[in-house]
């Protein structure tokens, strides 16, 4: 099956492309540096020729409210228009567990707009709601630094490894469209502040974490269960401790190293809400 992965060079996209190819599919990594730009439409018609499925795991390069909204609305419109012309039979998009409960955040309003366009289109679809990625803890730390401390919510979440996200999205992409939302999550629940603290201790980072009930999440108020999936998420297999111990082996011993700073060294410079 020809499967076009929009954002196929990103954290999830590159893993997804590899997994689909391992299973014998013709997976195309579509992104600006491979000549496909969903925002301008450049290269889309050619990339989508003879495609059965389009998976959108792209993300906005900017977190600024208007820019994120423009990115997800314009890209999604362009994709759906080109998919209709190419008779693509399944549009899959990656979004976030709890998106509909986080409308106070500009980023999540943009994800809500993306999902609305997909639901209203004529293309059969599956929207995958994933919980926060383990790899996103760095981004979470970035947006939670106040002065010299991290202010983090003591609320529950069920994060998962990017590898498990890619496997979950791959399974859905090769199956029939669900015309609805599928939730995927990690195998364990944690409190956000506790998990980040554990991470920092394990990575010998002296940065202090404060449990702060007023901290919010990217501008949105969050309660105990806002970020948890519903009753029947499809669960990933990778436990946090094994992900962290693997990560720790990749970090060079350096007394000044800030653990959260090296967790996503492959994505340095990307700051995003989710
Ligand atoms: N972070 C989380 O915890 C979390 C949780 C659940 C769901 N999600 C969702 O997961 C998705 C993917 O996240 P990620 O961390 O894998 O993103 P990422 O690593 O930042 O990758 C984004 C991808 O989008 C591509 N892209 C940017 N502008 C584009 C354009 N105009 N046309 C086509 N492609 C474009 C990028 O290409 P270049 O590298 O060439 O710019 C890159 O391949 C996001 O939609 C996010 O909402 C995230």
């Amino acid at each position: 099956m020809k499967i076009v992965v929009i954002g196929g060079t990103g954290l999830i996209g590159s893993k997804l492309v590899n997994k689909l190819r391992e299973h014998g599919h013709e997976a195309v990594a579509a992104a600006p540096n491979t000549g496909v730009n969903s925002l301008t439409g450049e290269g889309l018609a050619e990339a989508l020729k003879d495609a059965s499925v389009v998976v959108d795991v792209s993300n906005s390069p900017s977190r600024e409210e208007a820019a994120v909204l423009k990115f997800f609305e314009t890209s999604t419109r362009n994709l759906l228009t080109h998919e209709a012309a190419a008779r693509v039979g399944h549009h899959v998009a990656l979004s976030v567990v709890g998106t509909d409960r986080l409308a106070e955040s500009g980023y999540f309003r943009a994800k809500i707009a993306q999902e609305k366009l997909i639901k209203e289109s004529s293309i059969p679809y599956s929207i995958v709601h994933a919980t926060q990625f383990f790899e996103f803890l760095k981004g979470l730390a970035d947006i939670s630094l106040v002065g010299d401390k991290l202010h983090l919510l003591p609320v529950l979440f069920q994060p998962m490894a990017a590898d498990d996200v890619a496997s979950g999205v791959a399974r859905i992409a090769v199956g029939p469209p669900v015309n609805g939302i599928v939730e995927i999550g990690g195998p364990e629940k944690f409190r956000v502040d506790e998990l980040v603290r554990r991470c920092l201790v394990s990575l010998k980072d002296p940065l202090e974490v404060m449990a702060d009930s007023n901290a919010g999440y990217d501008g949105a108020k969050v309660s105990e269960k806002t970020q948890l999936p519903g009753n029947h998420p499809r669960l990933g297999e990778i436990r946090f401790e094994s992900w962290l111990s693997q990560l720790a082996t990749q970090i060079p011993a350096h007394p000044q190293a800030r653990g959260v700073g090296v967790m996503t060294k492959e994505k340095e410079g990307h700051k995003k809400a989710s």
Side-chain angles (χ1 to χ4, degrees):
M1 209 162 29
K2 178 174 173 183
I3 303 174
V4 178
V5 180
I6 308 293
T9 57
L11 173 66
I12 302 302
S14 51
K15 292 176 187 290
L16 177 61
V17 165
N18 288 339
K19 285 180 197 289
L20 291 169
R21 286 181 183 157
E22 278 163 24
H23 284 86
H25 297 287
E26 183 195 345
V28 177
N33 63 15
T34 70
V36 184
N37 190 323
S38 54
L39 192 58
T40 62
E42 183 200 344
L44 273 182
E46 184 57 30
L48 266 53
K49 201 161 168 270
D50 299 325
S52 304
V53 182
V54 170
V55 186
D56 184 7
V57 289
S58 65
N59 208 357
S60 168
S62 164
R63 277 189 64 231
E64 191 271 316
E65 195 172 320
V68 181
L69 185 63
K70 181 175 176 228
F71 178 86
F72 281 114
E73 281 194 330
T74 311
S75 289
T76 306
R77 277 203 192 96
N78 281 339
L79 288 174
L80 294 169
T81 302
H82 282 85
E83 286 170 31
R87 297 181 184 278
V88 169
H90 190 184
H91 178 93
V92 181
L94 181 57
S95 192
V96 190
V97 160
T99 289
D100 42 319
R101 301 186 284 274
L102 291 161
E104 285 170 329
S105 146
Y107 183 85
F108 286 99
R109 279 199 296 280
K111 296 298 284 184
I112 290 169
Q114 175 190 18
E115 293 187 22
K116 186 165 181 284
L117 288 167
I118 295 167
K119 288 173 189 164
E120 290 171 355
S121 87
S122 61
I123 314 287
Y125 70 92
S126 304
I127 296 172
V128 184
H129 272 191
T131 56
Q132 282 69 33
F133 314 154
F134 293 154
E135 289 79 357
F136 171 59
L137 292 177
K138 154 79 167 94
L140 195 56
D142 282 344
I143 60 176
S144 309
L145 192 63
V146 181
D148 58 354
K149 292 188 179 69
L150 295 180
H151 287 239
L152 286 158
L153 286 158
V155 296
L156 292 170
F157 74 154
Q158 199 168 329
M160 63 193 298
D163 253 322
D164 274 343
V165 178
S167 301
V169 174
R171 258 180 235 118
I172 291 157
V174 300
V178 300
N179 294 314
I181 292 171
V182 179
E183 289 190 323
I184 60 176
E188 303 158 285
K189 293 188 183 75
F190 301 96
R191 289 200 180 273
V192 175
D193 62 321
E194 282 172 13
L195 194 68
V196 174
R197 199 175 288 117
R198 254 167 76 176
C199 229
L200 294 177
V201 169
S202 163
L203 299 170
K204 301 188 173 36
D205 189 321
L207 200 58
E208 200 179 319
V209 174
M210 279 188 59
D212 181 351
S213 311
N214 298 316
Y217 174 38
D218 196 52
K221 283 192 206 73
V222 171
S223 65
E224 178 77 346
K225 293 190 174 169
T226 303
Q227 294 177 91
L228 288 182
N231 291 333
H232 304 290
R234 301 184 187 178
L235 297 184
E237 291 171 355
I238 303 168
R239 292 188 170 268
F240 182 73
E241 278 306 329
S242 57
W243 176 85
L244 186 60
S245 55
Q246 226 191 350
L247 179 76
T249 62
Q250 296 163 16
I251 295 169
H254 192 294
Q256 302 304 321
R258 287 220 1 231
V260 290
V262 287
M263 278 197 289
T264 54
K265 60 180 188 296
E266 61 196 289
K267 290 166 56 53
E268 208 57 58
H270 284 232
K271 250 187 151 193
K272 49 196 178 133
S274 105

